[in-house]
Amino acid sequence: MGNVIDLDAKNYKSLLKNYIETQDEKFLYRAEQISKSFLKNNILPEEIVNLHMQALDELYPSLSGEFQRSMNFLLETMISYGLAHQEFQTLREEQLALKSQIAVAASMQDTLLATSKPNIEGLDIGVISVPANQMNGDYHHFIESNDGSIGIALADVIGKGVPAALCMSMIKYSMDSFPENAMQPKSILENLNRVVERNVDPSMFITMFYAQYQPKDNKLHYASAGHEPGFYYNAKRDKFEEIEAKGLVLGVSLDAKYHQYNLHINKDDMIILLTDGVTECRQGERFIEREEVLNVIRDHAHLSAQEMVDRVYKYFQRLQNFQLRDDFTLIILRKDV
Amino acid sequence: MGTQSCINIQKEWDIVGARQLGRDIAKKIGFGTVDQARIATAVSELARNIYLYADSGKVCFEAIETIDKKGISMIAIDSGPGISDISLVMQDGYSTSRGLGAGLPGVKRLMDEFDLISEKEQGTEVKTIKWLR
């Protein structure tokens, strides 16, 4: 550090002299570069004022005593800025360390909550889930059963970030522990509700949608715990309908009961499941309308389910200036045959 | 070893006296303008802590010398309530975010050596040294 300031001291003095004599912009440009070098080498403001005082003293020894004392005064006022600068430096380093710890947690979460899209003949599945911050408070999971049916779980913790993400691991491991005969949507939500009620802080809410698709009879059985309603696209009538399902948010009441609904799916019909990160996208101060999501889906309906969800995500990501405000999860199922 | 000079801190005005004494001793030892200003700021922080949190206390200065270096030693002693969570007050951002200035971490940065002993209901002693380079 001493060397840098010695080297820059010579430069500084000659630049200052040149500038005072010519007022040429190029010397100000060089001053800007010196200032960057100071910053890079952690030279504090009081040291720069001192450098300036010394340079002036050498160049113009006859400058008034009043002026020199005024520079002393300025130097004194810079001390706290120098301290603040050092403090910010330390805090920035701490922040970097924290960020890298969260990155480790996020990748651990990815491993813990990993799920793979099942291959079911005649069913085209598209899924995208993107966290607003590093850790995802949305959770989706596919479960293939021995009887050929698939289960689709989609949950959203109110809140985001690390606490939400921790909560999601609990949901996943509870579900893993349920016996196969309890995999009806209604019983899954009832069991999870008890787990959440007992284990999660009352200020935390989880909404969840669970659907089971049975390809043998083309039926979708589903139940919802206060989750953002999805959509059913009826290909024959070329219309989107809201998938209505009533049910209390998980964790509110120990003995909450959930109603199970079912829906017959025909060729080219679509099931669209989402979290409120999709429907609560905002463009500036304006919340989008739920219909807007459907319009974008409709625009891309000729694509595969995966391409569709990717396009919808890209559309809303751009609409929000590439900064998600909430975790974003969208699942589309389309019956191909 | 030189002799100790102390200033009692009771009124806010005493902080100024402590600064002046610290600066004069630093100047005599041979510290430059920048270091004089840093030492004065450290004195301010220590004296201000006494003024704000303890009924009374003092700041003492001493010119010190080893075989190969010279420096200034400052000790701030008070009989105040003590610091209950030292780690907290030594944390960056704790004092500044409360508008209380650079705080003890600031003193530690301004000086070369820093030591702190605090007992609940008995008081606090901060010892710092800055070496002349």
Side-chain angles (χ1 to χ4, degrees), chain A residues 65-295:
Chain A
E66 281 94 342
F67 184 77
Q68 285 177 359
R69 289 195 286 279
S70 86
M71 293 304 287
N72 273 328
F73 194 85
L74 179 64
L75 187 143
E76 201 74 32
T77 62
M78 286 300 117
I79 300 280
S80 292
Y81 283 89
L83 281 174
H85 174 75
Q86 286 172 293
E87 188 177 278
F88 290 151
Q89 206 85 356
T90 314
L91 291 172
R92 193 182 307 155
E93 279 159 25
E94 281 173 11
Q95 190 198 25
L96 281 178
L98 217 60
K99 269 197 172 161
S100 81
Q101 271 189 36
I102 295 175
V104 174
S107 90
M108 203 167 144
Q109 187 199 23
D110 285 345
T111 317
L112 286 174
L113 301 185
T115 186
S116 52
K117 219 163 60 172
N119 272 315
I120 304 276
E121 233 189 82
L123 191 67
D124 185 16
I125 303 175
V127 52
I128 186 162
S129 184
V130 185
N133 304 120
Q134 280 176 302
M135 295 187 82
N136 203 337
D138 283 356
Y139 165 68
H140 71 280
H141 197 69
F142 296 101
I143 299 153
E144 287 180 84
S145 292
N146 294 332
D147 64 356
S149 70
I150 63 158
I152 306 136
L154 179 59
D156 181 0
V157 184
I158 309 301
K160 52 189 173 187
V162 179
L166 286 173
C167 208
M168 278 311 162
S169 304
M170 186 187 72
I171 296 281
K172 148 126 210 234
Y173 286 99
S174 310
M175 265 171 56
D176 278 355
S177 70
F178 296 156
E180 181 119 332
N181 60 14
M183 294 310 265
Q184 289 282 319
K186 164 183 163 44
S187 21
I188 286 193
L189 292 188
E190 279 163 14
N191 287 333
L192 278 179
N193 176 60
R194 275 193 293 276
V195 174
V196 174
E197 206 275 337
R198 284 187 190 135
N199 297 288
V200 176
D201 187 89
S203 67
M204 208 170 218
F205 297 102
I206 301 172
T207 72
M208 182 158 175
F209 187 89
Y210 192 90
Q212 191 186 34
Y213 179 66
Q214 182 51 268
K216 270 184 266 178
D217 55 7
N218 300 324
K219 272 219 163 105
L220 185 83
H221 304 275
Y222 59 93
S224 169
H227 195 80
E228 175 85 12
F231 297 98
Y232 162 63
Y233 173 72
N234 185 321
K236 205 196 262 171
R237 294 167 53 206
D238 187 26
K239 267 188 93 170
F240 286 98
E241 292 162 22
E242 206 159 81
I243 299 179
E244 273 186 64
K246 289 199 171 91
L248 204 58
V249 169
L250 296 181
V252 173
S253 154
L254 190 57
D255 47 9
K257 293 282 172 224
Y258 294 92
H259 188 71
Q260 190 161 310
Y261 304 79
N262 57 65
L263 194 64
H264 192 83
I265 315 275
N266 296 303
K267 184 176 182 314
D268 294 330
D269 284 357
M270 286 192 279
I271 301 293
I272 296 140
L273 305 177
L274 34 77
T275 56
D276 58 10
V278 180
T279 48
E280 283 172 17
C281 277
R282 261 185 294 177
Q283 188 179 27
E285 287 301 296
R286 178 186 78 97
F287 276 98
I288 62 152
E289 304 286 329
R290 275 165 66 82
E291 283 65 39
E292 208 162 327
V293 181
L294 301 180
N295 290 338

Side-chain angles (χ1 to χ4, degrees), chain B residues 7-79:
Chain B
I7 286 237
N8 286 320
I9 309 292
Q10 266 151 355
K11 317 180 290 294
E12 187 170 14
W13 202 242
D14 296 331
I15 300 171
V16 178
R19 282 179 62 105
Q20 183 67 61
L21 182 61
R23 188 190 299 273
D24 288 347
I25 293 172
K27 204 171 188 172
K28 229 176 272 167
I29 295 168
F31 283 101
T33 326
V34 176
D35 278 339
Q36 283 176 37
R38 285 178 180 154
I39 290 164
T41 305
V43 176
S44 261
E45 292 291 337
L46 294 176
R48 215 176 150 71
N49 279 346
I50 295 174
Y51 166 68
L52 288 176
Y53 305 113
D55 281 340
S56 67
K58 57 181 179 174
V59 184
C60 298
F61 305 92
E62 195 179 341
I64 52 172
E65 205 168 345
T66 65
I67 303 167
D68 54 353
K69 53 189 175 181
K70 286 200 290 187
I72 184 168
S73 140
M74 297 191 319
I75 301 175
I77 305 169
D78 69 56
S79 48

